[in-house]
Amino acid sequence: MLTKSPAAKNPLDRLAETGLAWGGATYARLAAPIGAAAFALYILLTAFTAWVMPDANWDMLPYLAISEEGTYPDAQALHDYAYSTVKSGVSAGDYKALTDDGGGFRSHMTDNAADFHSLLGMYRIKFLYAEILSTLSAVMSPVEAMRLVQVFSVLLFGAITLLWLHREKALALAPVVGAVLIMAGFGDAARASTPDLLTSTLLLGGLYAYIRGREAATAILLFLAFMMRPDNIVFLAVFAVLLVAFRQKAWGALAGFAASFVAYFAISHWAHHPGWWPHLWFSSIEQHYNMDGFEPAFSVTAYLRAFATSLLRAINLNSWVGVSVLALAGWFAAGRAGFRLERRAGILFAALVLGALAKFTVFPIHDTRIYFPHLIPPFLLLATPFMALWAALVRGQHRAAFQIIPGDKP
């Protein structure tokens, strides 16, 4: 039977194929250094952006206020300090956006020191962040101190991530982790003057120490992450329960939880925190202008409405749900291919996923920044099985190539 000869390839096609083959071979040979360099460049660009293009958010005002309460015990003086400090540290347009929303919440707080002061219990509980700002403000402007914390957090987060990948011989996957960071809103977290990114960095360090079996470092870093944002007690509780249930020896994580559990009640009392339900009401139901003595009766209907609203917003407006599903898909795919997480890592993976769900259930708020600490560690845990899968595929290709006999017809 006559067959048509394949059309001859033009020079441009041959050049493109040669270039792609060379590029693929080069990346396969130098995947680790190229991956590390690309990731490091992304981290440096993010740190630079955090310094030169910071996000002026309203939470800057109460965070700066709690950092200098000892200096300004009077509510009006503290209010004036916070607002004047932000005014001198941001652009005129940003300051107007923070203080004038046409007679709404921000406009009210600009003119009412007592109501502004009543909100501080919800911020004062983040004790460690306030202390860091207070210390740095002695040598630089408070707004610059906030930016410096963000830049430091970005660089340290990137360094821990690279160290984790290096220890797992998975630097070739660094660009993938960088892509996940972009999807998870790492750039937004870097630009925001809040304790969220530093919390994520400390937690990442604690989880890396846990994976490496460094128990003392695990306990210290997990406790510091809690002190930065006490809502991490939810994850630590889930983690501790799973460790006990599966009889995994990890005294560092259990000690970190125990210390955080005790400190939670002490800090909440000292900070005059309004309590779980009033805080949830303010954040997810209705912004109450004065939190002093505000004790709304618990309502199942109000809670379910807040839960449903936050869930819809989380799915449609934020990225944390999608990133979490992607991590679960990666875990499932690796498992189906026969490359599973080892026991210690598997317990942590489950704790991160269940911890995010528990945090949302306890305090339904949709913002990705709240769940960011849970988003990146699962992908770092999956780096080990995926590198093993990659190696197996490469070995399979080599075996297939050796089995081809010259002169055989397909």
Side-chain angles (χ1 to χ4, degrees):
M1 183 177 67
L2 296 175
T3 58
K4 186 179 180 180
S5 299
K9 295 180 181 179
N10 63 49
L12 185 60
D13 288 338
R14 290 198 297 270
L15 179 63
E17 287 186 0
T18 302
L20 289 173
W22 178 84
T26 301
Y27 184 79
R29 189 173 66 254
L30 302 174
I34 292 175
F39 185 83
L41 178 60
Y42 168 66
I43 291 296
L44 291 174
L45 288 174
T46 304
F48 177 75
T49 304
W51 183 262
V52 301
M53 296 175 58
D55 175 41
N57 57 84
W58 191 84
D59 284 344
M60 294 172 65
L61 293 160
Y63 281 130
L64 287 173
I66 62 171
S67 70
E68 294 298 332
E69 280 188 294
T71 306
Y72 302 95
D74 177 70
Q76 184 64 57
L78 187 63
H79 176 276
D80 293 344
Y81 161 77
Y83 276 82
S84 62
T85 300
V86 171
K87 185 177 183 179
S88 64
V90 302
S91 68
D94 284 340
Y95 183 74
K96 180 175 176 59
L98 295 178
T99 58
D100 183 4
D101 58 355
F105 176 83
R106 295 185 176 191
S107 298
H108 178 86
M109 291 302 160
T110 303
D111 299 327
N112 196 306
D115 286 353
F116 175 78
H117 192 269
S118 74
L119 306 179
L120 298 185
M122 296 183 292
Y123 296 87
R124 196 181 291 118
I125 196 170
K126 294 148 190 177
F127 165 78
L128 184 56
Y129 184 63
E131 289 301 309
I132 291 173
L133 291 182
S134 179
T135 301
L136 291 176
S137 295
V139 295
M140 63 177 61
S141 79
V143 173
E144 285 185 344
M146 288 182 138
R147 295 176 187 173
L148 183 61
V149 169
Q150 294 306 105
V151 170
F152 172 79
S153 301
V154 170
L155 296 176
L156 184 57
F157 191 98
I160 295 172
T161 301
L162 281 178
L163 179 61
W164 193 321
L165 291 172
H166 172 69
R167 290 292 187 181
E168 300 299 331
K169 296 180 172 57
L171 284 174
L173 296 179
V176 177
V177 177
V180 174
L181 282 171
I182 294 172
M183 290 188 291
F186 184 64
D188 292 336
R191 294 174 58 241
S193 296
T194 65
D196 302 320
L197 186 55
L198 185 52
T199 301
S200 299
T201 302
L202 292 170
L203 186 68
L204 183 67
L207 299 184
Y208 173 71
Y210 160 80
I211 289 295
R212 303 300 300 175
R214 304 291 190 265
E215 302 295 348
T218 300
I220 293 170
L221 289 169
L222 292 184
F223 180 67
L224 289 176
F226 160 81
M227 293 290 286
M228 194 65 60
R229 275 197 70 102
D231 59 353
N232 280 304
I233 192 67
V234 177
F235 162 73
L236 294 177
V238 172
F239 193 20
V241 168
L242 291 179
L243 288 171
V244 173
F246 288 95
R247 299 180 180 179
Q248 176 65 48
K249 293 182 180 180
W251 68 261
L254 294 176
F257 165 69
S260 301
F261 183 78
V262 173
Y264 180 82
F265 296 99
I267 294 175
S268 296
H269 177 75
W270 167 82
H272 301 290
H273 187 262
W276 165 72
W277 181 242
H279 195 163
L280 176 59
W281 187 286
F282 176 88
S283 298
S284 298
I285 299 175
E286 182 183 12
Q287 283 184 322
H288 198 70
Y289 283 7
N290 192 304
M291 297 298 289
D292 288 337
F294 179 59
E295 297 180 358
F298 177 74
S299 168
V300 174
T301 302
Y303 169 80
L304 291 177
R305 187 181 297 115
F307 185 95
T309 301
S310 293
L311 181 60
L312 287 174
R313 289 176 175 172
I315 293 173
N316 292 289
L317 302 178
N318 300 106
S319 61
W320 68 271
V321 175
V323 174
S324 299
V325 171
L326 184 62
L328 286 171
W331 166 78
F332 178 77
R336 291 284 291 179
F339 297 90
R340 294 178 175 84
L341 293 170
E342 60 95 20
R343 179 184 176 85
R344 194 174 180 92
I347 292 173
L348 175 55
F349 188 97
L352 288 163
V353 174
L354 295 176
L357 294 175
K359 187 182 287 188
F360 184 82
T361 302
V362 171
F363 202 100
I365 187 170
H366 64 91
D367 302 50
T368 295
R369 64 184 179 85
I370 304 297
Y371 310 97
F372 186 84
H374 299 253
L375 300 183
I376 306 306
F379 292 92
L380 297 176
L381 293 170
L382 290 172
T384 301
F386 270 101
M387 288 301 296
L389 175 59
W390 186 352
L393 292 174
V394 171
R395 288 195 299 270
Q397 290 175 352
H398 283 313
R399 282 197 297 268
F402 285 130
Q403 289 171 359
I404 296 176
I405 301 174
D408 279 359
K409 295 181 180 180

